[in-house]
Amino acid sequence: MLNLERLRTLDALARHGSVSGAAEGLHITTSAVSQQLAKLEREVGQRLLARHGRGVRLTDAGRLLADHAARILSQVQLAQSDLEAQRGQVVGELRLSAFPTAARGLFPTALAALRAEHPVLRVRSCELEPEAAIAAVMRGDLDLAVVLDWYNKSIPLPDGLTKAPILDDPADLALPAGHPLAGRDAVDLAELAEDEWITWGEGEFCHEWLMYTLRSQGIEPVVGHRAGETHTQLVLVAAGLGVCVAPLLGRSPMPPGVVTVPLTQPVSRHVYAVWRTDADRRPSIRAAVRALRAAAEQVG
């Protein structure tokens, strides 16, 4: 009889590609991973791992069993979801993530509501950028992630995920109070061709969106400063160090010395929750989506 926890360890190794990655994903030690896999090898009577440089790789037998393990664990998840749905109770553990401004703007209200309404539900949360969060949900490291895309640039979702809208998040231009355009009713992006930009980290989805959007307007942006959190960007704007795009979610309270002006062409982000389709019937997932939507209604 194959041991489910050992199959879970093998699946984690296949997904993460290393013993240390599997240990981090499972929240156990590297020694525990090695012990579980050694026991699994004895159970099946075949070598599942081979040395590869300083790490390990799956043998043919290891890849074969890892493929089966992924399907078995998916069926177990589906069975757990069905049992939880039949019982109709919001129980167990729920692992959530959100990108930084959503974690700041939605999680305090949403997670407090979940704790008050479902005291036996154990919620664990963290901050993750959208692409990393989607990958973590696909691996099974997270149950639900709050992610985003922009009105003119979507983020691809793999098969096997379900999504639900949380809110549309409008964005304005944030300018130092002394900027020549600060008193305008609206500003066109083309008017900012000579300005220095404050943006997100290199490679982050929102940074790539901003570069794509500015270049589509014929602007080759000059990036002076980077910050992952909107509020940090706004403090830099207040210091007169540049301009930024400031979504509504997570930007309050506005630092003194910053003026927001709407863009001539409205800009917005679409914020939504994603989870594995095989967990679709879990009451805890549904409860989390309701709590996030209720928190979104208070954004303003």
Side-chain angles (χ1 to χ4, degrees), residues 106-131:
L106 296 177
F107 270 6
T109 301
L111 301 190
L114 282 172
R115 174 174 288 185
E117 295 170 18
H118 309 289
V120 297
L121 177 67
R122 186 183 179 199
V123 179
R124 296 290 177 262
S125 71
C126 65
E127 287 186 2
L128 272 183
E129 291 297 326
E131 290 170 323

Side-chain angles (χ1 to χ4, degrees), residues 239-254:
L241 298 174
V243 302
C244 76
V245 172
L248 181 61
L249 180 63
R251 79 183 185 198
S252 295
M254 187 70 69

Side-chain angles (χ1 to χ4, degrees), residues 60 73 105 161 234 269 273 279 292 294:
D60 289 344
L73 293 170
L161 292 185
L234 291 172
R269 305 189 293 188
L292 288 164

Side-chain angles (χ1 to χ4, degrees), residues 43-267:
E43 285 177 352
V44 300
Q46 295 189 62
R47 288 187 66 194
L48 303 176
L49 302 176
R51 288 286 174 189
H52 183 67
R54 295 184 178 181
V56 296
R57 63 171 177 81
L58 292 174
T59 63
D60 289 344
R63 285 194 296 271
L64 177 66
L65 186 56
D67 289 342
H68 282 291
R71 290 193 291 271
I72 290 166
L73 293 170
S74 180
Q75 285 300 118
V76 170
Q77 175 68 70
L78 186 59
Q80 290 173 333
S81 297
D82 285 346
L83 286 170
E84 195 176 318
Q86 185 187 53
R87 187 168 47 181
Q89 296 177 343
V90 180
V91 296
E93 182 177 81
L94 192 66
R95 299 160 300 169
L96 311 177
S97 79
F99 57 94
T101 48
R104 183 175 186 268
L106 296 177
F107 270 6
T109 301
L111 301 190
L114 282 172
R115 174 174 288 185
E117 295 170 18
H118 309 289
V120 297
L121 177 67
R122 186 183 179 199
V123 179
R124 296 290 177 262
S125 71
C126 65
E127 287 186 2
L128 272 183
E129 291 297 326
E131 290 170 323
I134 289 168
V137 173
M138 286 297 298
R139 290 195 306 264
D141 297 339
L142 289 173
D143 298 306
L144 181 148
V146 179
V147 299
L148 65 91
D149 55 25
W150 290 84
Y151 74 103
N152 60 341
K153 189 175 179 64
S154 61
I155 193 168
L157 283 185
D159 292 338
L161 292 185
T162 297
K163 74 175 185 177
I166 301 300
L167 80 157
D168 282 341
D169 186 24
D172 297 321
L173 184 70
L175 305 165
H179 194 282
L181 301 176
R184 295 274 294 276
D185 293 332
V187 174
D188 191 279
L189 278 175
E191 298 178 81
L192 300 157
E194 303 302 320
D195 281 87
E196 194 166 351
W197 285 88
I198 299 164
T199 180
W200 294 266
E202 182 74 39
E204 290 185 15
F205 182 72
C206 286
H207 171 77
E208 297 303 322
W209 164 80
L210 182 60
M211 298 300 100
Y212 166 81
T213 301
L214 292 174
R215 286 167 181 157
S216 70
Q217 298 287 320
I219 300 171
E220 184 54 40
V222 177
V223 175
H225 306 280
R226 302 177 188 277
E229 171 62 63
T230 298
H231 224 254
T232 305
Q233 294 182 15
L234 291 172
V235 172
L236 294 171
V237 172
L241 298 174
V243 302
C244 76
V245 172
L248 181 61
L249 180 63
R251 79 183 185 198
S252 295
M254 187 70 69
V258 178
V259 173
T260 57
V261 180
L263 287 158
T264 305
Q265 179 183 355
V267 168

